[in-house]
Amino acid sequence: MNPFQLILLHLGTFLAWTGGVAIMTWIICRGCLKSAASATDTLFAGGHVLTWYIVAGSLMLTNLSTEQLVGLNGAAFRDGCLASQAWETFAALAMCLTASVFLPRYMLSGLTTTAGFLGERFDLTTRTMVSIVFLLFYAIGLCPIVLYTGALALKIIFDLDQAGIPLWSVSTLIGLLGAAYTLLGGLKAVTVSNSLNGLGLAVFGVWVPVATLHKVGMSLLFAEADYLKTLVQTSEVFNMETSVREPGVPSVPWHVLLTGLMLNNVYYWSTNQLIVQGALGAKSLAHAQKGTLVAAALKIVTFMFLCLPGVMAILMVKHQVPVGIDDTGMVKQFHVERPDDVFPELIKAVMPTWSFGLLSAVLLGSILSTFNSALNSSVTLFGMEIYRMYIKPDASDDHVANISTIFGACLTATSCIIAPFLANIPSIFDYVQKARAFAGVPVLTVFLVGIFTVTPDAFAVKIGFVFGAAIHFAGQFLQGYHYLDVYLVCFLLSLGAVML
């Protein structure tokens, strides 16, 4: 197949999948799911018509983006072991807690946002403080990171540097496409498209590790089983400056699993508007719980394509596995310069060339799933928690929806501007987790006090919120301590400040 035919094949399969998802989303939203009573209900809550399988697909695809595919495989490659898979397995425990404890409290009150629970339990100021923290994290943290990692993956797979296409143009195009889905279709379109893209991701999620294992060989993988260890305190960590492995601490040492890591997962899966909003749009509490538990079961096995390929890449580099012929006719060996390049480099090395167009479409779907969900959560928080509460309380539903759409367009532009500047971050996944931890300490404290106690009042939780944020900020300057250890200590101090 000549290069021109290959380009046509890539373009055709890419447009076929992307267009097919868009058409199917439109058909399902228009023909199979009933319309909402108001514009805000459509944009923010999907009309409360989502069934359990759509909830499950939405939860999985909201989380499984290039932030995870690129970041977690990069973390596994850097760590020299499977320690990072704990983020996936312990997420399942947190999701069970969400389904059994948090969702009943949220849904029985008919809430559209998780922060709305704090307004009922405490007061409007507490509700607004948490909403602002969520908004800031989505606007300057998550959305730009998703756009950057997505653009990075597509750039490496298709060698866009050789074509003179800059990373910023790819990330901007992804952002505009995601904004169109979210701002025109609302939560219903976001969750349905997430579920459809999940089918493609499931296929390629199995295909990539299987193809990589075929290249590495089962015997070699188990001959060096130290790379498969999950509970470790030290490992052979990749040094980016020297490109060699040295004894060091992995990204997730075993002692943080039931403490800082579990707390961070509870924050993410139980209180985070980005995640929980998909369940809040369910047609009933039973559908929300069933969808969350199905997603939890699936989460246990996702390490196979989120972490295992990164470990097999270590073996490919170590044993100089050939992956093709270069332009000079010499055998090309697998090579990785940065941990975050591992997943896209593996795709180039082990996947058939004809599949790149379809694979890029599926990757784009996973990128859009998280970006769309974060964008929808942001416009929901702005519209319901900021604009309607403080700026124009008597605004009609249509007016709130229109203003929120404008806010979403501005947030998209901001994310597109920030995304290219993330290229110098050593580890995207560690950066995301640290940013999430910074937001999580005060937010998780307030939610857990609200869920499990009845005595602390609004003033007490405000003190705990501010103290938790301040002490965690100060904790970032401590040297020699793992950030999840700092998370645990700051959480306990914040909780103690509330109780006192």
Side-chain angles (χ1 to χ4, degrees):
M1 186 177 294
N2 62 51
F4 180 72
Q5 291 175 322
L6 201 58
I7 291 173
L8 289 180
L9 176 62
H10 291 339
L11 185 61
T13 53
F14 178 86
L15 293 177
W17 178 268
T18 306
V21 169
I23 292 171
M24 287 298 297
T25 298
W26 184 83
I27 291 173
I28 293 173
C29 289
R30 293 286 182 177
C32 302
L33 299 176
K34 67 179 183 179
S35 300
S38 67
T40 53
D41 201 29
T42 298
L43 181 62
F44 303 146
H48 293 287
V49 297
L50 306 180
T51 51
W52 66 267
Y53 47 88
I54 292 180
V55 171
S58 178
L59 289 175
M60 290 298 293
L61 264 292
T62 296
N63 175 250
L64 295 181
S65 182
T66 45
E67 166 212 342
Q68 303 284 323
L69 292 167
V70 171
L72 264 178
N73 277 300
F77 181 85
R78 175 190 171 276
D79 291 342
C81 62
L82 283 175
S84 58
Q85 61 80 36
W87 288 110
E88 299 303 294
T89 50
F90 279 81
L93 294 178
M95 294 166 80
C96 291
L97 187 65
T98 303
S100 59
V101 177
F102 286 83
L103 282 179
R105 296 293 297 270
Y106 297 151
M107 296 196 69
L108 292 178
S109 299
L111 301 175
T112 305
T113 65
T114 55
F117 164 75
L118 301 177
E120 294 190 352
R121 172 64 176 81
F122 299 113
D123 62 4
L124 181 59
T125 305
T126 306
R127 174 176 178 171
T128 304
M129 290 167 64
V130 170
S131 297
I132 290 174
V133 169
F134 282 146
L135 261 178
L136 289 175
F137 175 67
Y138 301 152
I140 63 177
L142 185 59
C143 285
I145 285 171
V146 171
L147 293 183
Y148 164 71
T149 53
L152 176 67
L154 295 177
K155 186 190 78 167
I156 292 176
I157 292 171
F158 290 105
D159 289 322
L160 297 182
D161 280 341
Q162 295 184 6
I165 300 175
L167 186 140
W168 69 264
S169 62
V170 181
S171 61
T172 300
L173 183 61
I174 295 171
L176 294 176
L177 185 58
Y181 259 109
T182 304
L183 303 180
L184 298 179
L187 181 63
K188 198 189 310 184
V190 171
T191 53
V192 171
S193 62
N194 285 358
S195 299
L196 294 174
N197 281 314
L199 300 176
L201 188 62
V203 173
F204 280 100
V206 174
W207 193 353
V208 172
V210 168
T212 307
L213 183 60
H214 177 73
K215 183 75 70 172
V216 172
M218 185 77 75
S219 58
L220 180 59
L221 179 63
F222 287 100
E224 303 197 38
D226 283 349
Y227 293 125
L228 298 177
K229 289 182 177 179
T230 57
L231 300 177
V232 297
Q233 192 65 24
T234 60
S235 62
E236 293 295 317
V237 177
F238 181 78
N239 187 320
M240 282 183 57
E241 295 181 358
T242 61
S243 296
V244 297
R245 295 194 172 274
E246 304 168 348
V249 179
S251 59
V252 186
W254 68 268
H255 73 274
V256 304
L257 297 185
L258 291 174
T259 54
L261 182 137
M262 187 61 194
L263 286 171
N264 205 1
N265 266 327
V266 172
Y267 155 73
Y268 181 77
W269 290 102
S270 302
T271 71
N272 189 356
Q273 177 69 18
L274 166 70
I275 294 296
V276 181
Q277 182 162 321
L280 295 181
K283 64 195 305 183
S284 68
L285 175 60
H287 277 271
Q289 290 177 311
K290 188 184 298 184
T292 303
L293 292 175
V294 169
L298 295 173
K299 201 69 179 151
I300 296 174
V301 298
T302 53
F303 81 95
M304 290 191 299
F305 59 90
L306 291 178
C307 300
L308 194 57
V311 167
M312 289 189 282
I314 298 173
L315 299 175
M316 292 179 66
V317 172
K318 181 177 181 180
H319 295 277
Q320 300 180 334
V321 174
V323 293
I325 306 296
D326 62 20
D327 296 335
T328 64
M330 301 292 290
V331 174
K332 183 168 60 175
Q333 297 171 341
F334 186 75
H335 175 71
V336 174
E337 294 183 357
R338 299 172 64 247
D340 286 335
D341 294 345
V342 165
F343 187 72
E345 289 288 359
L346 273 178
I347 289 174
K348 285 176 60 180
V350 305
M351 298 297 285
T353 306
W354 60 262
S355 69
F356 285 1
L358 188 58
L359 178 58
S360 63
V362 173
L363 278 177
L364 178 64
S366 73
I367 299 163
L368 293 178
S369 66
T370 299
F371 180 77
N372 293 353
S373 298
L375 186 59
N376 187 267
S377 297
S378 298
V379 299
T380 301
L381 289 169
F382 175 79
M384 302 301 288
E385 304 294 336
I386 306 297
Y387 191 82
R388 175 160 274 179
M389 291 292 180
Y390 292 99
I391 300 174
K392 197 170 184 180
D394 59 344
S396 66
D397 287 345
D398 288 340
H399 179 73
V400 173
N402 291 335
I403 294 297
S404 298
T405 300
I406 295 172
F407 173 80
C410 295
L411 191 149
T412 300
T414 302
S415 299
C416 292
I417 292 171
I418 295 174
F421 293 98
L422 301 176
N424 295 324
I425 294 175
S427 173
I428 284 293
F429 192 77
D430 280 355
Y431 174 79
V432 172
Q433 295 304 329
K434 289 176 181 177
R436 188 176 291 156
F438 185 77
V441 168
V443 171
L444 182 63
T445 301
V446 174
F447 271 96
L448 291 184
V449 169
I451 290 285
F452 293 106
T453 69
V454 293
T455 50
D457 59 10
F459 178 77
V461 296
K462 289 190 191 73
I463 294 295
F465 185 94
V466 173
F467 181 75
I471 197 71
H472 194 261
F473 176 77
Q476 304 310 302
F477 297 98
L478 293 175
Q479 301 295 323
Y481 296 93
H482 195 277
Y483 73 94
L484 289 174
D485 289 327
V486 175
Y487 188 107
L488 172 65
V489 173
C490 293
F491 168 76
L492 293 175
L493 290 174
S494 177
L495 191 64
V498 174
M499 295 306 176
L500 291 176

